[in-house]
DNA sequence: ACCTGAACACCGTTCAAGT
DNA sequence: ACCTGAACACCGTTCAAGT
């Protein structure tokens, strides 16, 4: 970032902010930066193009529309989610999965807010969903029940994170974390009890 | 609605869609109808004014901005929420409160989606919040715990309804209702168990 | 007090033309 | 294949003028 290292290659024609070719990936990354900095309303195709040193219409060679760009941001948020390897302990694994989700959310709060509130229902890619289902299946839940338990957990996650993401400027991380864990542990206890009951009877 | 009953009073000047004075309430009600019919993106100040038979700028005598109008819609959605009188049974009362919330949501799905995803954190007016806290306090939860339990329940509600509202065209009401109740009962069991444990130790 | 029209400063996107 | 500029059909909102 120091100016000393800013060796600018000679340019022909109109000055550009950079020489890298425009790609879909660069567009999405820059769009995410704009959303994090200026909010969703601050993301315009014209402003984004200017930041990339490109004509507005060039964006449309890589992205169908502003709406498609928002979908791409949503995809990028969830692509960032990685669940840790399962240990076999139901409580520990559910906790770890929920915290991995929360960590991703806190890494890009505004983009995650966007991702969680867009229509397409499945809030995560197939990878993490399969992993989370695996945790519940290994604990002994039959397939249909595992899906319902997972959906219940996702509902809590989405609601809790939506609230937390909106509260980020207002309250400190430790308080928000305690709040998140209270509800999470309540839910996990319900899940483990349901699991125990299912095994018993 | 029948044309027979459309007795149109004589008019002077340019034809108007109606003669009622423009009020904030009429603006908000019409805006909600637009959102339900055409989605949030279909709500424009210009289009809304046209529907009300009024110049665009007249809206600004009653509403500060489009954003303020969305806040007003959010308020109207939650104003529609009424919790049934509590019976004293924790499970029955929590169930009834959650279903009252869901009923309101299903009455205006798109406006509720808007309301649940807007930044302001408290998703309900003070009335229902106090009532819900009362249910938990009467069950024996100390004040701080009651607040946390309530927030956990609200997180589930918000997440579950957001998902359900997006699924409305796709799946039938009975299936969605069963899905909602599964998670709700799981959560209520966790709450009643925590309550029992708190009373015991 | 409430309503209006013109004007301002923006938008996303289509299209035909460039390289 | 990718980029560009002009143009189209919109936006929300300010402001000064009407009643």
């Amino acid at each position: 970032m120091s100016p000393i290292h800013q060796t600018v290659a000679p340019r022909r024609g109109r000055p550009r902010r950079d020489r890298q070719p425009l790609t879909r990936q660069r567009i999405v990354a820059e769009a995410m930066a704009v959303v994090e900095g200026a909010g969703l309303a601050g993301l315009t195709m014209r402003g984004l193009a200017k930041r990339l040193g490109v004509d507005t219409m060039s964006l449309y060679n890589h992205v169908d529309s502003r709406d498609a760009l928002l979908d791409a941001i949503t995809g990028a948020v969830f692509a960032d989610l990685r669940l840790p390897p399962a240990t076999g302990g139901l409580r520990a694994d559910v906790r770890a999965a929920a915290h991995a989700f929360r960590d991703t959310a806190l890494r890009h709060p505004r983009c995650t807010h966007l991702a969680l509130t867009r229509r397409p229902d499945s809030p995560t890619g197939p990878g993490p969903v399969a992993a989370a289902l695996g945790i519940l299946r290994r604990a002994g839940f039959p397939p249909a029940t595992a899906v319902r338990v997972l959906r219940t957990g996702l509902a809590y996650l989405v609601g809790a994170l939506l609230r937390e993401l909106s509260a980020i400027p207002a309250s400190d991380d430790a308080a928000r974390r305690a709040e998140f864990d209270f509800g999470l542990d309540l839910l996990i206890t319900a899940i483990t009890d349901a699991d125990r009951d299912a095994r018993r009877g």
Side-chain angles (χ1 to χ4, degrees), chain A residues 26-157:
Chain A
R26 284 187 62 220
I27 293 173
V28 173
E30 193 73 27
M32 290 180 73
V34 172
V35 169
E36 289 306 331
L40 183 56
L43 177 68
T44 63
M45 299 302 272
R46 292 166 120 107
L48 182 59
K50 193 164 285 174
R51 280 177 61 124
L52 288 162
V54 125
D55 186 278
T56 305
M57 286 308 103
S58 302
L59 299 176
Y60 287 86
N61 290 308
H62 303 89
V63 163
D64 277 342
S65 63
R66 182 175 187 272
D67 213 60
L69 178 57
L70 301 190
D71 283 338
I73 291 174
T74 299
V77 167
F78 292 128
D80 190 38
L81 173 65
R82 292 274 181 283
L83 297 194
T87 67
L90 180 55
R91 178 171 289 269
D93 286 349
V94 171
R95 259 187 154 270
H99 278 118
F101 198 122
R102 179 172 177 269
D103 290 343
T104 293
L106 293 182
R107 229 172 280 133
H108 356 254
R110 284 174 141 165
C111 289
T112 301
H113 193 280
L114 163 67
L116 293 179
T117 56
R118 275 183 82 71
R119 292 287 184 166
D121 53 339
S122 139
T124 60
V129 164
L133 274 179
I135 294 170
L136 298 170
R137 292 285 288 120
R138 232 169 290 126
F141 286 104
T145 310
V147 168
R148 289 192 147 181
V149 170
L150 175 57
R151 285 194 183 144
T152 302
L154 284 176
Y156 171 72
L157 271 181

Side-chain angles (χ1 to χ4, degrees), chain A residues 142-180:
Chain A
T145 310
V147 168
R148 289 192 147 181
V149 170
L150 175 57
R151 285 194 183 144
T152 302
L154 284 176
Y156 171 72
L157 271 181
V158 169
L161 289 179
L162 236 37
R163 184 188 155 85
E164 178 168 5
L165 294 176
S166 298
I168 279 185
S171 63
D172 67 304
D173 190 75
R176 286 187 276 103
R177 159 74 189 252
E179 200 79 50
F180 180 80

